[in-house]
Amino acid sequence: MIDDGALMELAMAEARRAAELGEVPIGAAVAIDGEVLAARHNERLSTNDPTAHAEILALRDAAAAQGTSRLDGAVLATTLEPCPMCAGAAVMARVGRVVFAAEDPKAGACGTLYNLGADPRLNHSFDVVAGVGRDESAALLRDFFAERR
């Protein structure tokens, strides 16, 4: 049975892997009932795919593993607050909870700029837990971009 902290550590490992590959260091992992279904990292640059965010890839893998697009009760852990696309995918997948490390002041859609998981106009909502692994994720992102400037 995996808890939020351990699931976030899997996401952090994916983020570190992304950085090693020259991708923006964001990782995500999905679990249902404590069982890990998927863990992925950003692949936007290597695939030339603007939708290849870690969260999207992890949700796709988890849905494939479950054999359904509905991931009722799933936990999505991600090292950066999901953007509108990824938060929208979490709504569509019907995840139960999104756990994220660092807030995203430029595109955060789970409480910072938008809060898609709590928008009553949508047909699904999810709980949000912020700040799990915040310092490590922020440092990883800061170091990554500092090397490129």
Side-chain angles (χ1 to χ4, degrees), residues 3-12 27-31 38 40 54-55 58 74-80 82 97-101 132:
D3 65 13
D4 289 353
L7 191 61
M8 183 60 75
E9 186 46 47
L10 288 175
M12 289 290 182
V30 177
R40 297 289 294 270
E55 301 93 331
V75 177
L76 169 63
T78 181
T79 60
L80 185 65
R97 188 167 72 250
V98 171
V99 178
F100 70 84
V132 177

mmCIF file with all atom_site columns, all heavy atoms in Angstrom, residues 3-12 27-31 38 40 54-55 58 74-80 82 97-101 132:
data_model
loop_
_atom_site.group_PDB
_atom_site.id
_atom_site.type_symbol
_atom_site.label_atom_id
_atom_site.label_alt_id
_atom_site.label_comp_id
_atom_site.label_asym_id
_atom_site.label_entity_id
_atom_site.label_seq_id
_atom_site.pdbx_PDB_ins_code
_atom_site.Cartn_x
_atom_site.Cartn_y
_atom_site.Cartn_z
_atom_site.occupancy
_atom_site.B_iso_or_equiv
_atom_site.pdbx_formal_charge
_atom_site.auth_seq_id
_atom_site.auth_comp_id
_atom_site.auth_asym_id
_atom_site.auth_atom_id
_atom_site.pdbx_PDB_model_num
ATOM 1   N N   . ASP A 1 3   ? 1.577  5.332  0.068   1.00 0.00 ? 3   ASP A N   1
ATOM 2   C CA  . ASP A 1 3   ? 0.950  6.572  0.526   1.00 0.00 ? 3   ASP A CA  1
ATOM 3   C C   . ASP A 1 3   ? 1.369  7.729  -0.377  1.00 0.00 ? 3   ASP A C   1
ATOM 4   O O   . ASP A 1 3   ? 2.161  7.559  -1.308  1.00 0.00 ? 3   ASP A O   1
ATOM 5   C CB  . ASP A 1 3   ? 1.288  6.845  1.991   1.00 0.00 ? 3   ASP A CB  1
ATOM 6   C CG  . ASP A 1 3   ? 2.769  7.101  2.242   1.00 0.00 ? 3   ASP A CG  1
ATOM 7   O OD1 . ASP A 1 3   ? 3.548  7.314  1.296   1.00 0.00 ? 3   ASP A OD1 1
ATOM 8   O OD2 . ASP A 1 3   ? 3.156  7.093  3.426   1.00 0.00 ? 3   ASP A OD2 1
ATOM 9   N N   . ASP A 1 4   ? 0.836  8.916  -0.090  1.00 0.00 ? 4   ASP A N   1
ATOM 10  C CA  . ASP A 1 4   ? 1.097  10.075 -0.941  1.00 0.00 ? 4   ASP A CA  1
ATOM 11  C C   . ASP A 1 4   ? 2.586  10.401 -1.028  1.00 0.00 ? 4   ASP A C   1
ATOM 12  O O   . ASP A 1 4   ? 3.087  10.735 -2.104  1.00 0.00 ? 4   ASP A O   1
ATOM 13  C CB  . ASP A 1 4   ? 0.344  11.307 -0.426  1.00 0.00 ? 4   ASP A CB  1
ATOM 14  C CG  . ASP A 1 4   ? -1.152 11.225 -0.633  1.00 0.00 ? 4   ASP A CG  1
ATOM 15  O OD1 . ASP A 1 4   ? -1.621 10.275 -1.302  1.00 0.00 ? 4   ASP A OD1 1
ATOM 16  O OD2 . ASP A 1 4   ? -1.850 12.113 -0.119  1.00 0.00 ? 4   ASP A OD2 1
ATOM 17  N N   . GLY A 1 5   ? 3.301  10.318 0.090   1.00 0.00 ? 5   GLY A N   1
ATOM 18  C CA  . GLY A 1 5   ? 4.729  10.625 0.087   1.00 0.00 ? 5   GLY A CA  1
ATOM 19  C C   . GLY A 1 5   ? 5.529  9.666  -0.772  1.00 0.00 ? 5   GLY A C   1
ATOM 20  O O   . GLY A 1 5   ? 6.409  10.079 -1.542  1.00 0.00 ? 5   GLY A O   1
ATOM 21  N N   . ALA A 1 6   ? 5.238  8.395  -0.678  1.00 0.00 ? 6   ALA A N   1
ATOM 22  C CA  . ALA A 1 6   ? 5.949  7.389  -1.476  1.00 0.00 ? 6   ALA A CA  1
ATOM 23  C C   . ALA A 1 6   ? 5.582  7.523  -2.952  1.00 0.00 ? 6   ALA A C   1
ATOM 24  O O   . ALA A 1 6   ? 6.444  7.357  -3.830  1.00 0.00 ? 6   ALA A O   1
ATOM 25  C CB  . ALA A 1 6   ? 5.633  5.989  -0.959  1.00 0.00 ? 6   ALA A CB  1
ATOM 26  N N   . LEU A 1 7   ? 4.325  7.832  -3.232  1.00 0.00 ? 7   LEU A N   1
ATOM 27  C CA  . LEU A 1 7   ? 3.910  8.034  -4.622  1.00 0.00 ? 7   LEU A CA  1
ATOM 28  C C   . LEU A 1 7   ? 4.613  9.263  -5.199  1.00 0.00 ? 7   LEU A C   1
ATOM 29  O O   . LEU A 1 7   ? 5.074  9.240  -6.348  1.00 0.00 ? 7   LEU A O   1
ATOM 30  C CB  . LEU A 1 7   ? 2.388  8.188  -4.713  1.00 0.00 ? 7   LEU A CB  1
ATOM 31  C CG  . LEU A 1 7   ? 1.783  8.134  -6.108  1.00 0.00 ? 7   LEU A CG  1
ATOM 32  C CD1 . LEU A 1 7   ? 2.053  6.787  -6.786  1.00 0.00 ? 7   LEU A CD1 1
ATOM 33  C CD2 . LEU A 1 7   ? 0.282  8.400  -6.038  1.00 0.00 ? 7   LEU A CD2 1
ATOM 34  N N   . MET A 1 8   ? 4.745  10.316 -4.390  1.00 0.00 ? 8   MET A N   1
ATOM 35  C CA  . MET A 1 8   ? 5.451  11.508 -4.847  1.00 0.00 ? 8   MET A CA  1
ATOM 36  C C   . MET A 1 8   ? 6.924  11.193 -5.096  1.00 0.00 ? 8   MET A C   1
ATOM 37  O O   . MET A 1 8   ? 7.518  11.736 -6.030  1.00 0.00 ? 8   MET A O   1
ATOM 38  C CB  . MET A 1 8   ? 5.316  12.647 -3.838  1.00 0.00 ? 8   MET A CB  1
ATOM 39  C CG  . MET A 1 8   ? 5.978  13.936 -4.293  1.00 0.00 ? 8   MET A CG  1
ATOM 40  S SD  . MET A 1 8   ? 5.318  14.598 -5.854  1.00 0.00 ? 8   MET A SD  1
ATOM 41  C CE  . MET A 1 8   ? 3.755  15.250 -5.267  1.00 0.00 ? 8   MET A CE  1
ATOM 42  N N   . GLU A 1 9   ? 7.506  10.335 -4.291  1.00 0.00 ? 9   GLU A N   1
ATOM 43  C CA  . GLU A 1 9   ? 8.917  9.983  -4.529  1.00 0.00 ? 9   GLU A CA  1
ATOM 44  C C   . GLU A 1 9   ? 9.087  9.292  -5.873  1.00 0.00 ? 9   GLU A C   1
ATOM 45  O O   . GLU A 1 9   ? 10.076 9.515  -6.566  1.00 0.00 ? 9   GLU A O   1
ATOM 46  C CB  . GLU A 1 9   ? 9.470  9.119  -3.403  1.00 0.00 ? 9   GLU A CB  1
ATOM 47  C CG  . GLU A 1 9   ? 10.948 8.835  -3.523  1.00 0.00 ? 9   GLU A CG  1
ATOM 48  C CD  . GLU A 1 9   ? 11.820 10.059 -3.847  1.00 0.00 ? 9   GLU A CD  1
ATOM 49  O OE1 . GLU A 1 9   ? 11.657 11.112 -3.216  1.00 0.00 ? 9   GLU A OE1 1
ATOM 50  O OE2 . GLU A 1 9   ? 12.680 9.957  -4.763  1.00 0.00 ? 9   GLU A OE2 1
ATOM 51  N N   . LEU A 1 10  ? 8.121  8.475  -6.283  1.00 0.00 ? 10  LEU A N   1
ATOM 52  C CA  . LEU A 1 10  ? 8.169  7.883  -7.623  1.00 0.00 ? 10  LEU A CA  1
ATOM 53  C C   . LEU A 1 10  ? 8.094  8.977  -8.685  1.00 0.00 ? 10  LEU A C   1
ATOM 54  O O   . LEU A 1 10  ? 8.814  8.934  -9.688  1.00 0.00 ? 10  LEU A O   1
ATOM 55  C CB  . LEU A 1 10  ? 7.013  6.904  -7.821  1.00 0.00 ? 10  LEU A CB  1
ATOM 56  C CG  . LEU A 1 10  ? 7.086  5.585  -7.074  1.00 0.00 ? 10  LEU A CG  1
ATOM 57  C CD1 . LEU A 1 10  ? 5.810  4.795  -7.284  1.00 0.00 ? 10  LEU A CD1 1
ATOM 58  C CD2 . LEU A 1 10  ? 8.295  4.787  -7.511  1.00 0.00 ? 10  LEU A CD2 1
ATOM 59  N N   . ALA A 1 11  ? 7.225  9.962  -8.464  1.00 0.00 ? 11  ALA A N   1
ATOM 60  C CA  . ALA A 1 11  ? 7.114  11.077 -9.400  1.00 0.00 ? 11  ALA A CA  1
ATOM 61  C C   . ALA A 1 11  ? 8.422  11.869 -9.438  1.00 0.00 ? 11  ALA A C   1
ATOM 62  O O   . ALA A 1 11  ? 8.873  12.282 -10.515 1.00 0.00 ? 11  ALA A O   1
ATOM 63  C CB  . ALA A 1 11  ? 5.943  11.978 -9.012  1.00 0.00 ? 11  ALA A CB  1
ATOM 64  N N   . MET A 1 12  ? 9.049  12.078 -8.284  1.00 0.00 ? 12  MET A N   1
ATOM 65  C CA  . MET A 1 12  ? 10.330 12.803 -8.225  1.00 0.00 ? 12  MET A CA  1
ATOM 66  C C   . MET A 1 12  ? 11.420 12.042 -8.979  1.00 0.00 ? 12  MET A C   1
ATOM 67  O O   . MET A 1 12  ? 12.242 12.651 -9.672  1.00 0.00 ? 12  MET A O   1
ATOM 68  C CB  . MET A 1 12  ? 10.778 13.019 -6.784  1.00 0.00 ? 12  MET A CB  1
ATOM 69  C CG  . MET A 1 12  ? 9.975  14.019 -6.029  1.00 0.00 ? 12  MET A CG  1
ATOM 70  S SD  . MET A 1 12  ? 10.235 15.704 -6.591  1.00 0.00 ? 12  MET A SD  1
ATOM 71  C CE  . MET A 1 12  ? 9.180  16.538 -5.427  1.00 0.00 ? 12  MET A CE  1
ATOM 72  N N   . GLY A 1 27  ? 7.638  14.999 -13.135 1.00 0.00 ? 27  GLY A N   1
ATOM 73  C CA  . GLY A 1 27  ? 7.255  13.600 -13.117 1.00 0.00 ? 27  GLY A CA  1
ATOM 74  C C   . GLY A 1 27  ? 5.879  13.431 -12.509 1.00 0.00 ? 27  GLY A C   1
ATOM 75  O O   . GLY A 1 27  ? 5.403  14.299 -11.761 1.00 0.00 ? 27  GLY A O   1
ATOM 76  N N   . ALA A 1 28  ? 5.249  12.317 -12.817 1.00 0.00 ? 28  ALA A N   1
ATOM 77  C CA  . ALA A 1 28  ? 3.915  12.022 -12.288 1.00 0.00 ? 28  ALA A CA  1
ATOM 78  C C   . ALA A 1 28  ? 3.779  10.521 -12.068 1.00 0.00 ? 28  ALA A C   1
ATOM 79  O O   . ALA A 1 28  ? 4.427  9.722  -12.747 1.00 0.00 ? 28  ALA A O   1
ATOM 80  C CB  . ALA A 1 28  ? 2.836  12.510 -13.251 1.00 0.00 ? 28  ALA A CB  1
ATOM 81  N N   . ALA A 1 29  ? 2.930  10.169 -11.118 1.00 0.00 ? 29  ALA A N   1
ATOM 82  C CA  . ALA A 1 29  ? 2.635  8.766  -10.840 1.00 0.00 ? 29  ALA A CA  1
ATOM 83  C C   . ALA A 1 29  ? 1.153  8.643  -10.487 1.00 0.00 ? 29  ALA A C   1
ATOM 84  O O   . ALA A 1 29  ? 0.560  9.581  -9.942  1.00 0.00 ? 29  ALA A O   1
ATOM 85  C CB  . ALA A 1 29  ? 3.501  8.251  -9.696  1.00 0.00 ? 29  ALA A CB  1
ATOM 86  N N   . VAL A 1 30  ? 0.573  7.496  -10.799 1.00 0.00 ? 30  VAL A N   1
ATOM 87  C CA  . VAL A 1 30  ? -0.849 7.244  -10.543 1.00 0.00 ? 30  VAL A CA  1
ATOM 88  C C   . VAL A 1 30  ? -0.984 5.936  -9.772  1.00 0.00 ? 30  VAL A C   1
ATOM 89  O O   . VAL A 1 30  ? -0.348 4.930  -10.123 1.00 0.00 ? 30  VAL A O   1
ATOM 90  C CB  . VAL A 1 30  ? -1.656 7.149  -11.861 1.00 0.00 ? 30  VAL A CB  1
ATOM 91  C CG1 . VAL A 1 30  ? -3.122 6.822  -11.581 1.00 0.00 ? 30  VAL A CG1 1
ATOM 92  C CG2 . VAL A 1 30  ? -1.537 8.429  -12.664 1.00 0.00 ? 30  VAL A CG2 1
ATOM 93  N N   . ALA A 1 31  ? -1.818 5.976  -8.746  1.00 0.00 ? 31  ALA A N   1
ATOM 94  C CA  . ALA A 1 31  ? -2.111 4.775  -7.971  1.00 0.00 ? 31  ALA A CA  1
ATOM 95  C C   . ALA A 1 31  ? -3.610 4.689  -7.717  1.00 0.00 ? 31  ALA A C   1
ATOM 96  O O   . ALA A 1 31  ? -4.294 5.715  -7.626  1.00 0.00 ? 31  ALA A O   1
ATOM 97  C CB  . ALA A 1 31  ? -1.373 4.792  -6.645  1.00 0.00 ? 31  ALA A CB  1
ATOM 98  N N   . ALA A 1 38  ? 1.152  3.575  -12.830 1.00 0.00 ? 38  ALA A N   1
ATOM 99  C CA  . ALA A 1 38  ? 1.969  4.246  -13.840 1.00 0.00 ? 38  ALA A CA  1
ATOM 100 C C   . ALA A 1 38  ? 2.847  5.303  -13.195 1.00 0.00 ? 38  ALA A C   1
ATOM 101 O O   . ALA A 1 38  ? 2.474  5.884  -12.178 1.00 0.00 ? 38  ALA A O   1
ATOM 102 C CB  . ALA A 1 38  ? 1.076  4.902  -14.889 1.00 0.00 ? 38  ALA A CB  1
ATOM 103 N N   . ARG A 1 40  ? 5.519  8.373  -15.001 1.00 0.00 ? 40  ARG A N   1
ATOM 104 C CA  . ARG A 1 40  ? 6.100  8.893  -16.241 1.00 0.00 ? 40  ARG A CA  1
ATOM 105 C C   . ARG A 1 40  ? 6.719  10.264 -16.000 1.00 0.00 ? 40  ARG A C   1
ATOM 106 O O   . ARG A 1 40  ? 6.468  10.890 -14.981 1.00 0.00 ? 40  ARG A O   1
ATOM 107 C CB  . ARG A 1 40  ? 5.031  9.012  -17.335 1.00 0.00 ? 40  ARG A CB  1
ATOM 108 C CG  . ARG A 1 40  ? 4.398  7.709  -17.778 1.00 0.00 ? 40  ARG A CG  1
ATOM 109 C CD  . ARG A 1 40  ? 5.334  6.826  -18.580 1.00 0.00 ? 40  ARG A CD  1
ATOM 110 N NE  . ARG A 1 40  ? 5.691  7.399  -19.862 1.00 0.00 ? 40  ARG A NE  1
ATOM 111 C CZ  . ARG A 1 40  ? 5.019  7.218  -21.002 1.00 0.00 ? 40  ARG A CZ  1
ATOM 112 N NH1 . ARG A 1 40  ? 3.931  6.493  -21.023 1.00 0.00 ? 40  ARG A NH1 1
ATOM 113 N NH2 . ARG A 1 40  ? 5.440  7.772  -22.126 1.00 0.00 ? 40  ARG A NH2 1
ATOM 114 N N   . ALA A 1 54  ? 3.983  14.863 -18.223 1.00 0.00 ? 54  ALA A N   1
ATOM 115 C CA  . ALA A 1 54  ? 4.096  13.686 -17.360 1.00 0.00 ? 54  ALA A CA  1
ATOM 116 C C   . ALA A 1 54  ? 2.725  13.193 -16.904 1.00 0.00 ? 54  ALA A C   1
ATOM 117 O O   . ALA A 1 54  ? 2.454  11.983 -16.907 1.00 0.00 ? 54  ALA A O   1
ATOM 118 C CB  . ALA A 1 54  ? 4.972  14.006 -16.156 1.00 0.00 ? 54  ALA A CB  1
ATOM 119 N N   . GLU A 1 55  ? 1.850  14.121 -16.523 1.00 0.00 ? 55  GLU A N   1
ATOM 120 C CA  . GLU A 1 55  ? 0.534  13.741 -16.014 1.00 0.00 ? 55  GLU A CA  1
ATOM 121 C C   . GLU A 1 55  ? -0.305 13.048 -17.082 1.00 0.00 ? 55  GLU A C   1
ATOM 122 O O   . GLU A 1 55  ? -0.957 12.042 -16.804 1.00 0.00 ? 55  GLU A O   1
ATOM 123 C CB  . GLU A 1 55  ? -0.226 14.975 -15.503 1.00 0.00 ? 55  GLU A CB  1
ATOM 124 C CG  . GLU A 1 55  ? 0.474  15.728 -14.394 1.00 0.00 ? 55  GLU A CG  1
ATOM 125 C CD  . GLU A 1 55  ? 1.348  16.871 -14.896 1.00 0.00 ? 55  GLU A CD  1
ATOM 126 O OE1 . GLU A 1 55  ? 1.863  16.808 -16.030 1.00 0.00 ? 55  GLU A OE1 1
ATOM 127 O OE2 . GLU A 1 55  ? 1.511  17.846 -14.132 1.00 0.00 ? 55  GLU A OE2 1
ATOM 128 N N   . ALA A 1 58  ? 1.113  9.547  -17.700 1.00 0.00 ? 58  ALA A N   1
ATOM 129 C CA  . ALA A 1 58  ? 0.822  8.644  -16.583 1.00 0.00 ? 58  ALA A CA  1
ATOM 130 C C   . ALA A 1 58  ? -0.661 8.260  -16.565 1.00 0.00 ? 58  ALA A C   1
ATOM 131 O O   . ALA A 1 58  ? -1.000 7.090  -16.329 1.00 0.00 ? 58  ALA A O   1
ATOM 132 C CB  . ALA A 1 58  ? 1.236  9.286  -15.263 1.00 0.00 ? 58  ALA A CB  1
ATOM 133 N N   . ALA A 1 74  ? -8.559 7.205  -8.127  1.00 0.00 ? 74  ALA A N   1
ATOM 134 C CA  . ALA A 1 74  ? -7.113 7.246  -8.340  1.00 0.00 ? 74  ALA A CA  1
ATOM 135 C C   . ALA A 1 74  ? -6.496 8.467  -7.676  1.00 0.00 ? 74  ALA A C   1
ATOM 136 O O   . ALA A 1 74  ? -7.133 9.498  -7.481  1.00 0.00 ? 74  ALA A O   1
ATOM 137 C CB  . ALA A 1 74  ? -6.797 7.272  -9.837  1.00 0.00 ? 74  ALA A CB  1
ATOM 138 N N   . VAL A 1 75  ? -5.224 8.325  -7.345  1.00 0.00 ? 75  VAL A N   1
ATOM 139 C CA  . VAL A 1 75  ? -4.410 9.436  -6.868  1.00 0.00 ? 75  VAL A CA  1
ATOM 140 C C   . VAL A 1 75  ? -3.392 9.735  -7.956  1.00 0.00 ? 75  VAL A C   1
ATOM 141 O O   . VAL A 1 75  ? -2.674 8.841  -8.400  1.00 0.00 ? 75  VAL A O   1
ATOM 142 C CB  . VAL A 1 75  ? -3.678 9.094  -5.551  1.00 0.00 ? 75  VAL A CB  1
ATOM 143 C CG1 . VAL A 1 75  ? -2.787 10.254 -5.118  1.00 0.00 ? 75  VAL A CG1 1
ATOM 144 C CG2 . VAL A 1 75  ? -4.673 8.728  -4.464  1.00 0.00 ? 75  VAL A CG2 1
ATOM 145 N N   . LEU A 1 76  ? -3.361 10.986 -8.389  1.00 0.00 ? 76  LEU A N   1
ATOM 146 C CA  . LEU A 1 76  ? -2.363 11.462 -9.342  1.00 0.00 ? 76  LEU A CA  1
ATOM 147 C C   . LEU A 1 76  ? -1.392 12.336 -8.563  1.00 0.00 ? 76  LEU A C   1
ATOM 148 O O   . LEU A 1 76  ? -1.788 13.364 -8.024  1.00 0.00 ? 76  LEU A O   1
ATOM 149 C CB  . LEU A 1 76  ? -3.031 12.274 -10.461 1.00 0.00 ? 76  LEU A CB  1
ATOM 150 C CG  . LEU A 1 76  ? -2.100 13.068 -11.386 1.00 0.00 ? 76  LEU A CG  1
ATOM 151 C CD1 . LEU A 1 76  ? -1.167 12.155 -12.171 1.00 0.00 ? 76  LEU A CD1 1
ATOM 152 C CD2 . LEU A 1 76  ? -2.913 13.957 -12.321 1.00 0.00 ? 76  LEU A CD2 1
ATOM 153 N N   . ALA A 1 77  ? -0.141 11.899 -8.477  1.00 0.00 ? 77  ALA A N   1
ATOM 154 C CA  . ALA A 1 77  ? 0.902  12.689 -7.820  1.00 0.00 ? 77  ALA A CA  1
ATOM 155 C C   . ALA A 1 77  ? 1.793  13.281 -8.896  1.00 0.00 ? 77  ALA A C   1
ATOM 156 O O   . ALA A 1 77  ? 2.210  12.576 -9.815  1.00 0.00 ? 77  ALA A O   1
ATOM 157 C CB  . ALA A 1 77  ? 1.726  11.814 -6.881  1.00 0.00 ? 77  ALA A CB  1
ATOM 158 N N   . THR A 1 78  ? 2.072  14.569 -8.784  1.00 0.00 ? 78  THR A N   1
ATOM 159 C CA  . THR A 1 78  ? 2.892  15.233 -9.781  1.00 0.00 ? 78  THR A CA  1
ATOM 160 C C   . THR A 1 78  ? 3.790  16.270 -9.113  1.00 0.00 ? 78  THR A C   1
ATOM 161 O O   . THR A 1 78  ? 3.410  16.866 -8.111  1.00 0.00 ? 78  THR A O   1
ATOM 162 C CB  . THR A 1 78  ? 2.028  15.848 -10.898 1.00 0.00 ? 78  THR A CB  1
ATOM 163 O OG1 . THR A 1 78  ? 2.861  16.468 -11.858 1.00 0.00 ? 78  THR A OG1 1
ATOM 164 C CG2 . THR A 1 78  ? 1.012  16.827 -10.349 1.00 0.00 ? 78  THR A CG2 1
ATOM 165 N N   . THR A 1 79  ? 4.962  16.438 -9.685  1.00 0.00 ? 79  THR A N   1
ATOM 166 C CA  . THR A 1 79  ? 5.963  17.291 -9.054  1.00 0.00 ? 79  THR A CA  1
ATOM 167 C C   . THR A 1 79  ? 5.722  18.774 -9.266  1.00 0.00 ? 79  THR A C   1
ATOM 168 O O   . THR A 1 79  ? 6.339  19.592 -8.591  1.00 0.00 ? 79  THR A O   1
ATOM 169 C CB  . THR A 1 79  ? 7.375  16.923 -9.536  1.00 0.00 ? 79  THR A CB  1
ATOM 170 O OG1 . THR A 1 79  ? 7.455  17.091 -10.961 1.00 0.00 ? 79  THR A OG1 1
ATOM 171 C CG2 . THR A 1 79  ? 7.707  15.480 -9.167  1.00 0.00 ? 79  THR A CG2 1
ATOM 172 N N   . LEU A 1 80  ? 4.855  19.135 -10.183 1.00 0.00 ? 80  LEU A N   1
ATOM 173 C CA  . LEU A 1 80  ? 4.470  20.524 -10.400 1.00 0.00 ? 80  LEU A CA  1
ATOM 174 C C   . LEU A 1 80  ? 2.955  20.574 -10.541 1.00 0.00 ? 80  LEU A C   1
ATOM 175 O O   . LEU A 1 80  ? 2.351  19.684 -11.158 1.00 0.00 ? 80  LEU A O   1
ATOM 176 C CB  . LEU A 1 80  ? 5.138  21.084 -11.669 1.00 0.00 ? 80  LEU A CB  1
ATOM 177 C CG  . LEU A 1 80  ? 4.906  22.572 -11.954 1.00 0.00 ? 80  LEU A CG  1
ATOM 178 C CD1 . LEU A 1 80  ? 5.553  23.441 -10.871 1.00 0.00 ? 80  LEU A CD1 1
ATOM 179 C CD2 . LEU A 1 80  ? 5.470  22.939 -13.324 1.00 0.00 ? 80  LEU A CD2 1
ATOM 180 N N   . PRO A 1 82  ? -0.548 20.780 -11.760 1.00 0.00 ? 82  PRO A N   1
ATOM 181 C CA  . PRO A 1 82  ? -1.010 20.555 -13.127 1.00 0.00 ? 82  PRO A CA  1
ATOM 182 C C   . PRO A 1 82  ? -1.484 21.835 -13.824 1.00 0.00 ? 82  PRO A C   1
ATOM 183 O O   . PRO A 1 82  ? -2.103 22.707 -13.214 1.00 0.00 ? 82  PRO A O   1
ATOM 184 C CB  . PRO A 1 82  ? -2.181 19.584 -12.949 1.00 0.00 ? 82  PRO A CB  1
ATOM 185 C CG  . PRO A 1 82  ? -1.855 18.847 -11.694 1.00 0.00 ? 82  PRO A CG  1
ATOM 186 C CD  . PRO A 1 82  ? -1.229 19.900 -10.808 1.00 0.00 ? 82  PRO A CD  1
ATOM 187 N N   . ARG A 1 97  ? -8.048 12.263 -6.260  1.00 0.00 ? 97  ARG A N   1
ATOM 188 C CA  . ARG A 1 97  ? -7.184 13.229 -5.582  1.00 0.00 ? 97  ARG A CA  1
ATOM 189 C C   . ARG A 1 97  ? -5.971 13.526 -6.437  1.00 0.00 ? 97  ARG A C   1
ATOM 190 O O   . ARG A 1 97  ? -5.404 12.636 -7.053  1.00 0.00 ? 97  ARG A O   1
ATOM 191 C CB  . ARG A 1 97  ? -6.750 12.661 -4.231  1.00 0.00 ? 97  ARG A CB  1
ATOM 192 C CG  . ARG A 1 97  ? -6.003 13.641 -3.364  1.00 0.00 ? 97  ARG A CG  1
ATOM 193 C CD  . ARG A 1 97  ? -5.842 13.173 -1.922  1.00 0.00 ? 97  ARG A CD  1
ATOM 194 N NE  . ARG A 1 97  ? -4.895 12.085 -1.792  1.00 0.00 ? 97  ARG A NE  1
ATOM 195 C CZ  . ARG A 1 97  ? -5.187 10.827 -1.489  1.00 0.00 ? 97  ARG A CZ  1
ATOM 196 N NH1 . ARG A 1 97  ? -6.447 10.469 -1.287  1.00 0.00 ? 97  ARG A NH1 1
ATOM 197 N NH2 . ARG A 1 97  ? -4.256 9.907  -1.380  1.00 0.00 ? 97  ARG A NH2 1
ATOM 198 N N   . VAL A 1 98  ? -5.586 14.796 -6.463  1.00 0.00 ? 98  VAL A N   1
ATOM 199 C CA  . VAL A 1 98  ? -4.346 15.227 -7.091  1.00 0.00 ? 98  VAL A CA  1
ATOM 200 C C   . VAL A 1 98  ? -3.427 15.715 -5.979  1.00 0.00 ? 98  VAL A C   1
ATOM 201 O O   . VAL A 1 98  ? -3.830 16.563 -5.165  1.00 0.00 ? 98  VAL A O   1
ATOM 202 C CB  . VAL A 1 98  ? -4.579 16.348 -8.126  1.00 0.00 ? 98  VAL A CB  1
ATOM 203 C CG1 . VAL A 1 98  ? -3.254 16.934 -8.606  1.00 0.00 ? 98  VAL A CG1 1
ATOM 204 C CG2 . VAL A 1 98  ? -5.380 15.815 -9.310  1.00 0.00 ? 98  VAL A CG2 1
ATOM 205 N N   . VAL A 1 99  ? -2.234 15.167 -5.946  1.00 0.00 ? 99  VAL A N   1
ATOM 206 C CA  . VAL A 1 99  ? -1.213 15.553 -4.978  1.00 0.00 ? 99  VAL A CA  1
ATOM 207 C C   . VAL A 1 99  ? -0.089 16.182 -5.774  1.00 0.00 ? 99  VAL A C   1
ATOM 208 O O   . VAL A 1 99  ? 0.431  15.551 -6.695  1.00 0.00 ? 99  VAL A O   1
ATOM 209 C CB  . VAL A 1 99  ? -0.692 14.319 -4.206  1.00 0.00 ? 99  VAL A CB  1
ATOM 210 C CG1 . VAL A 1 99  ? 0.402  14.712 -3.223  1.00 0.00 ? 99  VAL A CG1 1
ATOM 211 C CG2 . VAL A 1 99  ? -1.836 13.608 -3.494  1.00 0.00 ? 99  VAL A CG2 1
ATOM 212 N N   . PHE A 1 100 ? 0.261  17.429 -5.450  1.00 0.00 ? 100 PHE A N   1
ATOM 213 C CA  . PHE A 1 100 ? 1.361  18.038 -6.189  1.00 0.00 ? 100 PHE A CA  1
ATOM 214 C C   . PHE A 1 100 ? 2.378  18.656 -5.245  1.00 0.00 ? 100 PHE A C   1
ATOM 215 O O   . PHE A 1 100 ? 2.075  18.976 -4.102  1.00 0.00 ? 100 PHE A O   1
ATOM 216 C CB  . PHE A 1 100 ? 0.870  19.030 -7.246  1.00 0.00 ? 100 PHE A CB  1
ATOM 217 C CG  . PHE A 1 100 ? 0.272  20.308 -6.736  1.00 0.00 ? 100 PHE A CG  1
ATOM 218 C CD1 . PHE A 1 100 ? 1.081  21.391 -6.398  1.00 0.00 ? 100 PHE A CD1 1
ATOM 219 C CD2 . PHE A 1 100 ? -1.098 20.452 -6.636  1.00 0.00 ? 100 PHE A CD2 1
ATOM 220 C CE1 . PHE A 1 100 ? 0.524  22.581 -5.962  1.00 0.00 ? 100 PHE A CE1 1
ATOM 221 C CE2 . PHE A 1 100 ? -1.661 21.632 -6.202  1.00 0.00 ? 100 PHE A CE2 1
ATOM 222 C CZ  . PHE A 1 100 ? -0.849 22.704 -5.856  1.00 0.00 ? 100 PHE A CZ  1
ATOM 223 N N   . ALA A 1 101 ? 3.587  18.797 -5.760  1.00 0.00 ? 101 ALA A N   1
ATOM 224 C CA  . ALA A 1 101 ? 4.697  19.309 -4.958  1.00 0.00 ? 101 ALA A CA  1
ATOM 225 C C   . ALA A 1 101 ? 4.735  20.831 -4.985  1.00 0.00 ? 101 ALA A C   1
ATOM 226 O O   . ALA A 1 101 ? 4.390  21.490 -4.013  1.00 0.00 ? 101 ALA A O   1
ATOM 227 C CB  . ALA A 1 101 ? 6.017  18.706 -5.447  1.00 0.00 ? 101 ALA A CB  1
ATOM 228 N N   . VAL A 1 132 ? 3.492  18.495 -1.104  1.00 0.00 ? 132 VAL A N   1
ATOM 229 C CA  . VAL A 1 132 ? 4.199  17.252 -0.785  1.00 0.00 ? 132 VAL A CA  1
ATOM 230 C C   . VAL A 1 132 ? 5.474  17.209 -1.637  1.00 0.00 ? 132 VAL A C   1
ATOM 231 O O   . VAL A 1 132 ? 5.399  17.061 -2.855  1.00 0.00 ? 132 VAL A O   1
ATOM 232 C CB  . VAL A 1 132 ? 3.323  16.008 -1.051  1.00 0.00 ? 132 VAL A CB  1
ATOM 233 C CG1 . VAL A 1 132 ? 4.106  14.729 -0.778  1.00 0.00 ? 132 VAL A CG1 1
ATOM 234 C CG2 . VAL A 1 132 ? 2.053  16.067 -0.226  1.00 0.00 ? 132 VAL A CG2 1
#
